[in-house]
Amino acid sequence: MATELRVGERSEHVATKIRVRRAIEDVFVGGDIDAIDDLFAPDVVLHLDCWGTGVTGRRALQRHVERQHEIFADCAATIDSLVVDGDEAIAYCTVRGRHAGMLPVPGRGPYAPTGRLFQVPTVFRFRLAKGKIAEVWRLEDALGVGDQLGLGDRSPRDLFRALGKNIREGFLRSGD
């Protein structure tokens, strides 16, 4: 399997793979906010598809993880491929979950939990510095999630934009 550690692999690559795997499985999917301080730099920069770019800091990441787990439950990820090159790592994953919480969409009202399951491809890119994750990019099929949850009363593009706006506004209200 592509995510397995290999005999003869450089020790820093092994350490990076372990750190990245923990970030995906424990933090993003598992919701373990206590692991954030151990894995991420204090000024980590987050480029997550629904936020745009430039959201910075462990507190911002913590708020994102908490909010994500209020909306989606029973999350799991299969890391299909994990490649390390220097101070960067790329992980291709399949993420699964269930819509369990109110999904706020400004101007349309919130979507009540559907209880429906979703499964989408997701790509993470990490940059590490001094043994900590300093930057994260995530791209997932958010439109596919909306379709699988049956949120088809509007165009997928409108749903995606509204969700991103809501998440960004939440961060601005809570400050960092």
Side-chain angles (χ1 to χ4, degrees):
M1 178 179 283
T3 59
E4 296 299 317
L5 304 178
R6 295 179 180 89
V7 174
E9 196 167 21
R10 293 174 35 189
S11 61
E12 63 268 17
H13 285 185
V14 172
T16 297
K17 282 186 174 184
I18 291 168
R19 184 168 296 284
V20 164
R21 182 177 288 280
R22 284 190 60 212
I24 293 168
E25 294 175 347
D26 296 350
V27 176
F28 285 105
V29 176
D32 182 2
I33 58 172
D34 293 331
I36 291 173
D37 287 348
D38 182 44
L39 298 171
F40 295 87
D43 57 349
V44 60
V45 178
L46 309 167
H47 307 277
L48 305 178
D49 54 8
C50 54
W51 289 350
T53 61
V55 177
T56 303
R58 289 178 180 157
R59 289 284 302 136
L61 176 58
Q62 179 181 343
R63 284 192 304 275
H64 168 73
V65 169
E66 290 170 340
R67 187 175 219 144
Q68 176 178 294
H69 285 272
E70 290 170 3
I71 299 169
F72 302 110
D74 305 326
C75 293
T78 302
I79 299 175
D80 302 305
S81 177
L82 176 54
V83 178
V84 175
D85 183 18
D87 66 347
E88 293 193 0
I90 304 285
Y92 180 82
C93 309
T94 302
V95 175
R96 293 168 290 290
R98 181 177 51 82
H99 180 205
M102 294 300 282
L103 179 60
V105 180
R108 301 266 182 170
Y111 283 101
T114 63
R116 290 185 180 182
L117 300 175
F118 66 90
Q119 177 174 307
V120 293
T122 304
V123 177
F124 287 92
R125 177 180 167 203
F126 297 89
R127 185 182 60 78
L128 286 84
K130 299 179 184 172
K132 300 276 187 173
I133 297 170
E135 207 161 1
V136 181
W137 292 261
R138 183 184 70 200
L139 181 61
E140 61 203 7
D141 182 6
L143 301 180
V145 172
D147 288 345
Q148 292 173 51
L149 299 182
L151 306 178
D153 64 331
R154 57 196 282 140
S155 80
R157 175 173 278 152
D158 289 344
L159 177 65
F160 179 70
R161 284 183 178 156
L163 178 60
K165 179 180 179 196
N166 178 267
I167 290 171
R168 282 190 303 275
E169 287 174 355
F171 290 127
L172 293 175
R173 282 192 301 273
S174 57
D176 195 1

